[in-house]
Amino acid sequence: MASLGMSADEKAALDAFRRDVIEPSMTALVILDFWAEWCGPCKQLTPILEKIAADYADKGVILAKVNVDEQKLIAAQFRVQSIPTVYAVFQGQLVADMTQFRTEAQITRALDQMLKQLPIQGAAQAQEIEPLIAMGEEVLAGGDAARALGIFQQIYEMAPDNAEALSGLARALILGGQLDEADALLATLSDEQKKAPALSRAASALALARDAKPVDDLAGLRARVAAQPEDHAARFELAGGLMAAGDRDGAADALLDIIRADKAWQDGAARNQLLKMFEAIGLEDPWVAATRRKLSAALFG
């Protein structure tokens, strides 16, 4: 894009485009989204693109947005005639027109195909660390906090921006009782990183761990709840104690009992706590799927 004969504003816009799109595209795949405030379809598509960019950040994908009303020169250079228009740019070249794709599934399928064909650093690194992340998750599920922490620290050193690595490291710290350290790690995340599902899971795990307060006399609290089944505060405390003791079945049953008796108790505190458990454990986990069915039955049965 030549700058001869341009105004100062046009040169500034061109410099920004080079900085935000062309330079990053030398090593990353840039999703280039042309949009405007008045464009209804743009407003529907933008959240989808933002979510995908967050999910694919560790594979070397970034999102750049061009407001066609404010950056007319850039829009003209790309011959944008309607919006939303979405292109993929790599090494300064337009490599795909993604405008026809409007659903998450369509866009991710196209990205997966491009990532297999293009020499993108992030994609290669993602393949390299994928087995390590799987190992770390397996160790986490087995409850070995120290070993999981060692694995995820190693991955974090290799890929400090990888959402799965950050999530695993935070959850290993949480499992080891290092809640303040996990909190400090999550506090360093950017707004874009926080949108990644893996990091939402870590944030829920931290919130859940802070709620799960150990109970010195679980047997006594059980007896109190049995004698006073309408005491939902005691049952909620029992759920927290059972979570702290690692009894997620018992904790879920206690929360479900509250929901069956009074769905709106404490502004739906029992339901909200269950949802935190689901996200912290992982929505794809079979236990979560089974317990979600129980929650639906309690809410709507």
Side-chain angles (χ1 to χ4, degrees), residues 105-149:
Q106 290 172 333
I107 296 167
T108 55
R109 190 158 49 242
L111 285 175
D112 289 339
Q113 290 174 351
M114 283 185 275
L115 290 172
K116 289 177 183 177
Q117 299 169 4
L118 299 172
I120 295 171
Q121 292 180 1
Q125 186 184 64
Q127 290 179 347
E128 210 175 287
I129 66 176
E130 194 172 314
L132 290 174
I133 289 173
M135 181 193 302
E137 291 292 344
E138 186 177 342
V139 173
L140 260 181
D144 190 339
R147 186 169 168 231
L149 185 59

Side-chain angles (χ1 to χ4, degrees), residues 28-93:
L29 182 64
V30 179
I31 302 173
L32 188 56
D33 175 27
F34 291 90
W35 69 289
E37 289 286 355
W38 46 264
C39 171
C42 298
K43 292 180 180 178
Q44 293 177 332
L45 183 60
T46 292
I48 297 173
L49 293 175
E50 289 176 343
K51 178 182 183 300
I52 291 169
D55 291 348
Y56 277 67
D58 56 359
K59 297 181 181 180
V61 175
I62 62 176
L63 174 64
K65 299 169 66 176
V66 176
N67 186 320
V68 297
D69 290 332
E70 297 175 356
Q71 297 168 280
K72 294 178 182 178
L73 172 66
I74 304 300
Q77 292 279 354
F78 280 85
R79 298 191 176 99
V80 174
Q81 297 180 336
S82 63
I83 52 173
T85 290
V86 182
Y87 293 139
V89 178
F90 181 62
Q91 293 184 344
Q93 301 297 317

Side-chain angles (χ1 to χ4, degrees), residues 114-259:
M114 283 185 275
L115 290 172
K116 289 177 183 177
Q117 299 169 4
L118 299 172
I120 295 171
Q121 292 180 1
Q125 186 184 64
Q127 290 179 347
E128 210 175 287
I129 66 176
E130 194 172 314
L132 290 174
I133 289 173
M135 181 193 302
E137 291 292 344
E138 186 177 342
V139 173
L140 260 181
D144 190 339
R147 186 169 168 231
L149 185 59
I151 293 170
F152 280 111
Q153 280 178 329
Q154 178 186 349
I155 302 169
Y156 176 69
E157 288 169 6
M158 295 169 60
D161 294 326
N162 183 284
E164 297 288 344
L166 284 163
S167 173
L169 182 56
R171 287 180 289 117
L173 289 166
I174 293 164
L175 183 62
Q178 300 178 65
L179 304 190
D180 290 341
E181 289 82 351
D183 200 359
L185 175 65
L186 295 177
T188 65
L189 302 178
S190 67
D191 290 339
E192 280 301 310
Q193 286 177 310
K194 289 175 183 176
K195 294 175 185 176
L199 291 164
S200 295
R201 180 183 178 188
S204 292
L206 179 60
L208 194 65
R210 292 203 181 280
D211 290 342
K213 296 179 172 57
V215 173
D216 293 333
D217 184 12
L218 270 176
L221 186 55
R222 283 182 191 275
R224 177 181 159 194
V225 169
Q228 299 176 302
E230 74 287 350
D231 189 345
H232 300 322
R235 196 180 295 276
F236 194 81
E237 182 184 353
L238 176 62
L242 291 169
M243 278 191 287
D247 183 359
R248 66 183 184 185
D249 287 321
D253 287 342
L255 294 169
L256 287 166
D257 284 342
I258 295 173
I259 294 166

Side-chain angles (χ1 to χ4, degrees), residues 2-40:
S3 59
L4 189 63
M6 291 182 184
S7 68
D9 287 344
E10 287 174 332
K11 287 180 181 178
L14 183 56
D15 288 342
F17 185 80
R18 285 178 177 146
R19 182 189 66 241
D20 299 336
V21 177
I22 301 302
E23 291 176 11
S25 79
M26 293 299 112
T27 55
L29 182 64
V30 179
I31 302 173
L32 188 56
D33 175 27
F34 291 90
W35 69 289
E37 289 286 355
W38 46 264
C39 171

